[in-house]
Structures are given as C-alpha cells and as structure tokens.
Amino acid sequence: MLKLAGIFAGYGGADVVHDINLTLEKGENLAIIGPNGCGKTTLLKVIAGLLPFRGTVEFDGICASAMKPRARAAYVAMLGQISPVYFSYTVYDAVMMGRYLHNQGLLGIPSRADKDFVETCLATVNLADVRHRGLGTLSGGQLQRVFLARTLAQDPQIILLDEPTNHLDLKFQFELIDYLKNWAAEQNRTIVGVLHDISLAMRLSSNVMLMKEGRTAALGRADQVLDGKMLQDVYEVDVAGVMRETLAIWENLA
Amino acid sequence: MKHKIIISAAIALVILLLAVAIGSIFVHPWEIVRIILHRTLGLGCVEDISNANNAIIWNLRLPRVLLAFLVGAMLSVSGAIMQSVLRNPLASSFTLGVSSGASLGAALVLFTGLAFLPMMTLPVAGFAMGMATMVFAITLASRIDGMMENNTIILMGMVISMFINAVTTLLMALNREGVQRLIFWQLGSFSMQNWMPVVLLAPILLVGILVTLRYNRELDIMTFGEDNARTMGVNLRLVKWALLLIAAGLTGSAIAFVGIIGFIDLVAPHTVRRLFGSRHIVVIPLSAIFGGSLMVVADLVARTITPPNELPVGVVTALIGAPFFAYIYFVGRRRANA
C-alpha cells in the first residue's frame, strides 16, 4: 500500500529527516511518535506531497512523484490541527468539498452519489443534525469533526493525521481516534498518525515508529520494540515513570 | 439559491434604468425602454420622444451607465478571486501591482505624448503595464519560493508596487505640466465615454465570470489553506496562476478605460459573502451584480450631486462604500452568529 525508501527531506536545503524506510500493508495502521523536532510532521508532509524530498514514495507500487494531484489525493488525505476558517461555509458544504476529486463535472455540481456519500460521512461523525449551521458557529470539537467528515468524504486509501487532537478536550480526543480506527477497520484502510500524546498514539495503533533526530529509532509492535530505557533515551525523560506517577494520582482520587 | 440571483439581477436592472433616467434632465423610464427597443431591435416608434432626449439617452447616459456597471462588476469579481486565492480579506489586484503598473503606463503615455493607436493608446498601455507588473511579481515569487506561498506573492507584489509607484512619482516630479491629467486619470471617471469600451469590456467580463465559475470549487477549497487544497487534489500551481491572471486581466482592462477606482473590489465581495454565504458558485455572479450596481449608484451620485461639476467617482465609492461595508460587516456578523 505505502512504501517509503531512503527518504531525505527538510527545509531550505537542510535535511530534517534522514534515510527513512517504511512499508505498510493495506489495513495496517501506524503511530509515529517522538519528541518535538524529530521530523514526524516533515515525514507526513513528504507522504502527503507537500514537501520536496529525495528517495521514493510509492502507493501500490506507483511512484507518487509521477502522480497528478487528483490521483494522489485519491490515495492519501490529511487531517491536521484545526485550521482557521476565513470565510464561513455550512457544515454540509464543507464536507462536500471532500468529494472534489471524485467529481470531474465542468461546474462540479454534486451528483446523487456524492450527496449520499456526504450523508454517510455526516452520520459517521454525528453531525447530521447541524449540517446547515455555519462553521463559524461551531465549537472546536464540532469543527474538527467537520474536517474529519471532509477527510472521510475524500474516500482515500490512507489518512495521515498531523496532531489532529490538539486543542480538543479529552473526550473529543478519544472520540476522534475511535472514529478513525473504526473507519480503517471497516473499510480496510490505513491510518498513519503523528500524535503528541503517547497513550493516544497507542490507542490508535500498536504498530509504532519511534523517531529521534530525523531517524528511525524503533519500528514495529510497541510491546516488542519499545522499552522504558529506549523511551527515556529518546524523550530525555523517564516516560514510564511519569505515566506510573500520573496513574497513582488517579488511583488516589478513585 | 437560484431565486436570490434572479431577484438580485432584477433589482440591478431597476437601478440601471433609474440611473439612466436621472440626470440634468429626467427621462421617464418607459421612454428609455422604448428607445432601447427601437435602437436595438427596431421595435415600436419613438417619434413622440424628442431628439434631444433620444440622443442623451442613447449616446451619453446609456453607455456611461453600462460602462460603470461593467467596470464595477469586473473589479468585484476580481476582488472576490483575489481574496479567496490569497486567503486574505484585504487582498486585491491592486495589492499585486496591477494599478501601479497601469499608472506607470498611463504616466508614460501622458508625459511622452506617445500614440501608437488612435484613442486606445492610454487604455492599452495601462492594461499591458498592469498585467506585466503582476506577472512579473508572481514569476519572481515563484522563483524564490517553488510552492508559491501566498505570503511570498503578496510581499513580492507590494515590493514591486512600491518600486513602480516611486518611478511614477519620479516621472511626475520631472513632468509637472502633465501631472494634472495623470492625477485626474488616477482618480477614475466615467465621463466622456462612448459605446466603444462597453462593447470591448462586456465579452471580457462574461468570459472572466465563466472561467472563474469553472474553478468555483477550487476557490471554495483554497479558502481553507494551501496545504489543505493540495492534499484534497487541487492542482494548486495551475489553478492559482489561472485565477490570478483572470483577476488581474479583469482589473487591468477595467481600469485601463476609466482610471483607478478603489474600494468596490473590497466591499462588494465581502457584502455578498455576508448576505449569501461563501460558496463561489453564488459569490462570483452576485459579486458581479452587486459590484456593478454599486458602481452605477456611485457614478450617479458623482455626476448629479454637485452640478454642473462632477466628483471623482473613486471618492464617492469610498464615501458610500466604507460606512455601508461597516454596517454589513457588523450586522451580518451578529446575524450569522445568532
């Protein structure tokens, strides 16, 4: 499904990620973790086609660099942090935009199939009731669900997550990850997620890639490739210890 | 949504008719309709209408009002495109140097007495220099920044604008005798016009609107940001070039004939978005209708409020436009949030 080989990329001539190799099968999820500045987002941008790179990115064996924007968008979509809305659209119109690449009509008037698809996406994220509201009137959690529905409407093979849970309450964070996991499981699709929060990352996938200074520090099933020593080494803090302390606080509350 | 466009078009028609009727002499709207039908389709008989009225309507007021409408519509559609493409509510073709380039073109023609085409030297020079300036700004921006980010484009446009304005000012300082005419041109006016610009601009506006509508979804998507648009499958580089060229072409050809008239391109699209939502399939045609009508009203005020003198129409657009804009912006916002 997705293959990265010998990826180098960065900004203004300086490489931020070095020699990344990765293969994901259809239906397989991956959580990318690592401290700030380790190159997680840069790597996502390479996969999404937002950044020039050296090396190869392939979708189903097709070289991504040779793909037209629409063809590429049929493979890979991206859900980022909540982006500011400059001009207000209704929830429905915003989600319909996700159908862009599937509708080649001259004026892009939505087809019956597009409308049905959008309805399904709205229902999936529980937004059907607010479909006619303006984006400007929504809460942060609702707004991010609109963007999620739009990403689902794009119907891609892979969804890239770039810290989509930032600025969301705990409840919405879990909700968002669960929506996505269900979607991937039901449709046999792939999610590659960069998540700040390690426990949230583990909730998304037990398949992890740990990055340090632009390189792969560990790749595989979390219980097999990660250990306390390694996390402490990469994050420069005793991650497991902090987690245990936090847990103790909650247990005292209970 | 369709009926909103039809109602707006009907209101615009009434405004057009009234604007033709009102002036130093009032001509009954029904007489105007009859004159138009007679002149265009050869229908009916106009022998009971005085020759003077007939001439005033057909030779003076009608072309003037239609030209005002076309220019207003072109500037507004151009403004709507720029605001969405550059994702900046204050952006316009003027930001990218179209008006400073056109001014320099006009200055060169006025100061050198150059005349390579009868009647058309000034408009052609203005249009060519305006377009060239913008294309130069965007080309330079895309050389510096392969992804053509908005900020690079806006910054480059402003730098080049300022440089060209300085050149124009330098020319003005060196040619004091032509300064008056250049300033008059820069203020913008619809006086002393005939049918020629109307016939030239109408097809440009029509093609501009149709091509822009072709990209209505891309415009919608681009307001959410460039990375977003790319990952959703928009061929950003191509679409951006196409839309920026259309916007500059519309502004360039409009101001080439009537001089620089600001504010309409900012006010009209914003008002339309407040009242009718942000979807460009609606915003583009309604911006044309609303911007055109607004310009017709502004020109009506400019030519009737201080007879026999005329005010520069650019002053009037700003005087009417600014408070109206404030009203729509704040009232519309309150309603949208209710």
Side-chain angles (χ1 to χ4, degrees):
Chain A
M1 178 75 259
L2 172 67
K3 191 177 167 208
L4 307 181
I7 299 290
F8 290 83
Y11 308 89
D15 284 338
V16 176
V17 302
H18 307 267
D19 194 23
I20 300 290
N21 297 283
L22 175 70
T23 308
L24 279 180
E25 296 306 325
K26 209 172 161 67
E28 209 178 350
N29 296 343
L30 178 73
I32 303 178
I33 57 174
N36 286 339
C38 72
K40 299 176 299 227
T41 299
T42 308
L43 185 60
L44 274 199
K45 284 187 172 176
V46 167
I47 303 172
L50 299 175
L51 205 64
F53 61 92
R54 302 192 307 284
T56 1
V57 176
E58 283 178 8
F59 301 113
D60 278 344
I62 309 164
C63 179
S65 313
M67 284 180 162
K68 291 238 160 67
R70 277 186 200 234
R72 189 178 190 136
Y75 270 103
V76 59
M78 183 136 158
L79 181 65
Q81 295 183 25
I82 299 176
S83 52
V85 178
Y86 284 94
F87 300 113
S88 190
Y89 291 85
T90 64
V91 170
Y92 184 86
D93 290 338
V95 176
M96 184 57 87
M97 289 176 203
R99 298 303 295 164
Y100 169 72
L101 71 103
H102 301 280
N103 186 332
Q104 308 262 20
L106 201 59
L107 290 179
I109 310 291
S111 67
R112 184 74 249 162
D114 286 331
K115 287 179 183 166
D116 291 343
F117 203 98
V118 165
E119 286 302 330
T120 318
C121 296
L122 285 170
T124 306
V125 300
N126 286 327
L127 281 176
D129 296 340
V130 296
R131 77 185 71 194
H132 295 303
R133 292 256 303 270
L135 295 186
T137 68
L138 301 180
S139 69
Q142 285 174 316
L143 192 59
Q144 189 61 312
R145 262 148 64 201
V146 173
F147 292 133
L148 171 61
R150 193 180 65 184
T151 310
L152 297 180
Q154 193 173 329
D155 199 20
Q157 298 299 316
I158 305 168
I159 290 182
L160 305 175
L161 305 177
D162 187 12
E163 316 227 6
T165 54
N166 283 10
H167 313 299
L168 293 186
D169 289 343
L170 208 54
K171 171 175 174 254
F172 289 119
Q173 295 186 12
F174 288 142
E175 251 181 37
L176 196 75
I177 297 301
D178 292 345
Y179 280 136
L180 281 159
K181 270 183 79 171
N182 288 339
W183 171 82
E186 281 168 17
Q187 312 271 334
N188 195 27
R189 307 285 169 89
T190 297
I191 294 172
V192 178
V194 165
L195 295 160
H196 216 67
D197 183 328
I198 302 178
S199 44
L200 213 56
M202 298 300 164
R203 192 182 177 96
L204 172 71
S205 171
S206 52
N207 200 15
V208 296
M209 177 170 171
L210 178 65
M211 288 180 75
K212 188 194 178 187
E213 290 165 4
R215 293 172 203 278
T216 311
L219 178 62
R221 283 187 55 86
D223 51 1
Q224 290 167 8
V225 298
L226 295 185
D227 58 52
K229 166 108 182 33
M230 179 180 277
L231 287 177
Q232 183 165 8
D233 184 39
V234 170
Y235 282 91
E236 291 170 358
V237 55
D238 179 9
V239 178
V242 171
M243 296 275 188
R244 272 194 292 273
E245 277 173 31
T246 315
L247 188 63
I249 295 171
W250 292 116
E251 277 175 345
N252 282 341
L253 277 180
Chain B
M1 202 47 92
K2 255 182 208 145
H3 62 274
K4 281 184 185 166
I5 299 186
I6 292 168
I7 292 172
S8 308
I11 295 174
L13 267 181
V14 172
I15 290 175
L16 280 175
L17 205 56
L18 284 177
V20 178
I22 299 168
S24 50
I25 314 164
F26 181 82
V27 181
H28 195 282
W30 177 234
E31 273 187 26
I32 297 168
V33 174
R34 282 171 58 207
I35 292 172
I36 295 173
L37 287 177
H38 183 74
R39 291 271 190 164
T40 53
L41 303 170
L43 292 177
C45 150
V46 288
E47 271 161 24
D48 57 316
I49 301 171
S50 74
N51 281 340
N53 275 10
N54 201 322
I56 287 175
I57 294 303
W58 186 257
N59 296 333
L60 296 176
R61 286 203 202 146
L62 199 57
R64 177 175 184 150
V65 167
L66 288 178
L67 180 63
F69 185 85
L70 287 173
V71 167
M74 292 168 93
L75 291 176
S76 303
V77 171
S78 168
I81 296 173
M82 285 290 181
Q83 287 158 17
S84 296
V85 170
L86 297 179
R87 217 179 166 214
N88 185 327
L90 294 177
S92 75
S93 316
F94 299 146
T95 324
L96 295 191
V98 175
S99 66
S100 22
S103 275
L104 181 58
L108 287 174
V109 170
L110 290 175
F111 294 158
T112 58
L114 203 73
F116 48 85
L117 288 168
M119 305 287 293
M120 289 291 287
T121 311
L122 188 63
V124 169
F127 174 76
M129 289 290 286
M131 288 296 277
T133 306
M134 195 213 72
V135 170
F136 181 64
I138 301 180
T139 311
L140 211 60
S142 70
R143 281 281 161 79
I144 293 172
D145 168 5
M147 287 293 195
M148 274 174 78
E149 297 280 346
N150 289 339
N151 287 339
T152 319
I153 294 180
I154 292 177
L155 212 63
M156 203 46 72
M158 289 178 70
V159 168
I160 289 170
S161 277
M162 282 182 210
F163 181 78
I164 288 183
N165 283 342
V167 175
T168 310
T169 313
L170 180 69
L171 287 180
M172 287 168 84
L174 296 175
N175 295 271
R176 296 197 180 276
E177 56 286 6
V179 165
Q180 191 89 34
R181 284 180 65 199
L182 182 64
I183 289 177
F184 186 75
W185 182 84
Q186 284 178 333
L187 286 173
S189 169
F190 293 105
S191 63
M192 293 187 292
Q193 291 290 357
N194 52 32
W195 280 99
M196 194 262 298
V198 176
V199 173
L200 282 174
L201 291 186
I204 298 179
L205 172 65
L206 202 66
V207 171
I209 289 180
L210 289 177
V211 179
T212 308
L213 282 179
R214 165 77 185 81
Y215 289 117
N216 77 82
R217 288 182 308 154
E218 284 85 347
L219 279 165
D220 286 344
I221 291 172
M222 284 162 87
T223 65
F224 286 89
E226 314 198 308
D227 282 357
N228 237 310
R230 283 202 189 90
T231 55
M232 287 169 79
V234 175
N235 189 340
L236 203 66
R237 218 181 146 80
L238 175 90
V239 172
K240 217 169 187 176
W241 261 111
L243 287 169
L244 290 178
L245 281 178
I246 293 169
L250 286 172
T251 301
S253 42
I255 66 174
F257 285 100
V258 300
I260 293 162
I261 302 170
F263 219 72
I264 292 273
D265 57 342
L266 214 60
V267 161
H270 268 298
T271 310
V272 169
R273 284 190 227 262
R274 288 274 163 217
L275 294 176
F276 301 99
S278 306
R279 292 171 63 211
H280 286 84
I281 200 154
V282 178
V283 167
I284 296 298
L286 281 178
S287 290
I289 292 171
F290 184 76
S293 308
L294 200 60
M295 188 67 99
V296 167
V297 173
D299 181 51
L300 179 65
V301 172
R303 68 186 153 90
T304 54
I305 203 162
T306 55
N309 297 319
E310 284 196 9
L311 295 175
V313 70
V315 173
V316 180
T317 55
L319 284 178
I320 303 181
F324 185 67
F325 180 50
Y327 173 78
I328 290 291
Y329 192 83
F330 292 110
V331 173
R333 163 173 287 186
R334 212 178 302 144
R335 232 178 255 150
N337 292 343

